[in-house]
Amino acid sequence: MASAVELPTFKGRPGWEFTDISELNLAAYEPVRGSDELAGATAAVPLFDPPAGELPDGVIVASIEEAAGEYGELLRRHLGTLIGPGDDVFVTLNDAGFRAGSFVYVPRGVALSAPISLSTVQARSGTMLGQRTLVVLEEGARAEVWEQYLSGAPELDGVFNAVTELIVGDGAHLRYVCGQGLSERSWIFGAQRAQVGRDAGLDWVALGFGSARGHVRMETRLGGEGAEARVTGAYATHARQHIDFDTTQEHAAPNTTSDLAFRGVLHGRSTAVWKGNIIVDPGAQKTDAFQESRNLLLSKRAHADAIPGLEIQANDVRCTHAAAVAQVDPEQLFYLRSRGLRLDVARRLVIEGFLAALVERFEQGPVREQLSGALERRLALVLSD
């Protein structure tokens, strides 16, 4: 099937204007056939390590394969309700043959005291892995889910194709942290969509560190009155990496709030794209929406595009956006060096200060500590070039 698929072109398909995948030959990658091919990939280095906790009665955390057998009716009720095979060609491929992923279900009124940790490791080069995640929080539930995509070896050449659906019921609250630290020879394609109910909240964190090239959609639909969503993204690239994030904040009900902030650090000849859109549907009055993307270029050959957009069909709203791409400020470096700091130390402090604005979006605690640590480790690797 993969060999017959017509891939999107960066000049011919909306949403792909900045990511050229003409060099991708899907026929060269064998689909992963079973969960056994995911086992034994212990060489992967985790991006973060959240604390574990006991699961209350009724909470389900299972592989997508196990869930199909043990919780088939519940899985069928929710899987595919937000993202269908017609969304794009990679979703179609995923729907036809996903072999990895997780199902998380939290019943009505249940609050988890510790994060749920999920990992998918692509073990073998020359494979295309279809990965599927479904997270469902019923009314009034509260949970944190931390997920990471990893490669089993630093030079692994593969295609990682992820589809994620987040369903946050009325009055529920979900924090979802998703990081990808794939091999820098891999491709990544992702379609991720969240539905947030009445008076519910979503706190979504995305870390983009690995892969050679890829395209990830992150879409949030505020479907119930009083719904809130905060989306935070960070990426740090080097060499010839290319990362493309396409985000959407759709306000489909009145009195909803969204706040999106992405920051990227780019070195070498790496490139990044953030394209964001705020959509306010008819009747979604009192919408309060904000989006920003800021990029720091550490070399003259690095390049970033930040493209905000608005589609507003209501007249009593507040929607704002900001975007910036800049080099390290030489005046800041001069100031720090005049205080006796070496150039490399001064430069590192400026970069850390730039990223600190993202970390400070979170209260003191595990998320803030893990995010700070992951950024620090990634930054050390990027600056070692």
Side-chain angles (χ1 to χ4, degrees):
M1 178 181 177
S3 59
V5 165
E6 182 180 349
L7 296 176
T9 61
F10 74 109
K11 291 185 178 180
R13 188 75 61 88
W16 293 87
E17 300 90 338
F18 299 93
T19 298
D20 181 5
I21 60 171
S22 60
E23 295 180 4
L24 173 61
N25 177 17
L26 284 181
Y29 297 90
E30 177 187 353
V32 171
R33 298 296 181 187
S35 57
D36 58 314
E37 294 191 40
L38 304 172
T42 57
V45 178
L47 297 175
F48 37 70
D49 186 19
E54 294 290 330
L55 293 178
D57 290 342
V59 174
I60 298 171
V61 179
S63 72
I64 207 78
E65 195 172 56
E66 293 169 341
E70 296 184 35
Y71 311 102
E73 183 179 347
L74 186 60
L75 187 69
R76 286 190 295 272
R77 189 189 311 163
H78 297 288
L79 191 68
T81 56
L82 300 187
I83 301 179
D87 266 42
D88 67 34
V89 62
F90 291 102
V91 174
T92 300
L93 286 171
N94 183 290
D95 194 68
F98 57 86
R99 290 293 182 269
S102 303
F103 174 46
V104 176
Y105 175 81
V106 185
R108 178 176 180 175
V110 174
L112 302 187
S113 59
I116 293 170
S117 180
L118 310 172
S119 292
T120 300
V121 181
Q122 189 167 13
R124 188 161 59 87
S125 280
T127 60
M128 177 170 60
L129 174 60
Q131 192 272 355
R132 195 81 179 229
T133 299
L134 172 63
V135 179
V136 179
L137 269 62
E138 298 287 9
E139 183 178 356
R142 299 183 67 88
E144 289 189 17
V145 177
W146 299 42
E147 182 165 34
Q148 49 193 335
Y149 309 146
L150 305 167
S151 296
E155 297 299 313
L156 187 143
D157 178 4
V159 176
F160 196 100
N161 183 9
V163 173
T164 301
E165 296 172 288
L166 310 175
I167 300 174
V168 187
D170 293 348
H173 188 278
L174 171 66
R175 173 174 281 161
Y176 177 67
V177 181
C178 184
Q180 72 90 355
L182 297 172
S183 156
E184 292 178 21
R185 294 189 61 193
S186 291
W187 300 79
I188 183 168
F189 301 99
Q192 302 178 315
R193 185 171 295 157
Q195 170 82 10
V196 187
R198 175 177 49 82
D199 295 325
L202 171 66
D203 194 353
W204 189 348
V205 183
L207 303 180
F209 293 162
S211 77
R213 185 170 294 265
H215 180 275
V216 177
R217 290 188 287 126
M218 297 173 58
E219 302 172 356
T220 305
R221 185 177 188 272
L222 300 160
E225 185 168 2
E228 298 183 357
R230 182 174 61 169
V231 182
T232 305
Y235 46 90
T237 59
H238 67 151
R240 291 178 176 266
Q241 284 183 280
H242 173 83
I243 284 183
D244 183 342
F245 283 103
D246 190 340
T247 69
T248 301
Q249 301 149 257
E250 181 186 359
H251 293 256
N255 297 294
T256 52
T257 303
S258 68
D259 175 9
L260 179 146
F262 268 62
R263 293 205 172 199
V265 174
L266 295 87
H267 199 17
R269 300 182 66 174
S270 64
T271 55
V273 179
W274 169 80
K275 183 180 179 183
N277 200 21
I278 294 173
I279 300 174
V280 181
D281 292 345
Q285 305 293 4
K286 303 296 183 181
T287 285
D288 187 349
F290 175 72
Q291 61 178 351
E292 72 163 1
S293 171
R294 301 188 185 277
N295 294 274
L296 190 62
L297 307 182
L298 306 184
S299 67
K300 292 182 179 179
R301 291 190 170 186
H303 179 83
D305 291 291
I307 309 163
L310 301 173
E311 297 180 29
I312 301 175
Q313 301 180 68
N315 58 13
D316 185 8
V317 302
R318 182 173 67 175
C319 299
T320 54
H321 57 73
V325 178
Q327 301 275 348
V328 175
D329 189 343
E331 291 188 4
Q332 291 180 340
L333 289 179
F334 177 81
Y335 174 82
L336 292 171
R337 295 197 69 192
S338 70
R339 296 302 187 270
L341 297 180
R342 298 195 317 269
L343 177 60
D344 60 327
V345 175
R347 194 162 176 253
R348 178 68 179 257
L349 286 175
V350 171
I351 299 168
E352 289 178 348
F354 171 78
L355 292 173
L358 283 185
V359 176
E360 290 170 1
R361 285 168 64 88
F362 302 94
E363 70 279 5
Q364 291 286 350
V367 171
R368 186 166 179 168
E369 293 170 5
Q370 296 279 345
L371 179 59
S372 179
L375 287 171
E376 184 176 344
R377 291 188 295 273
R378 180 61 185 176
L379 191 58
L381 176 63
V382 167
L383 293 178
S384 68
D385 281 358

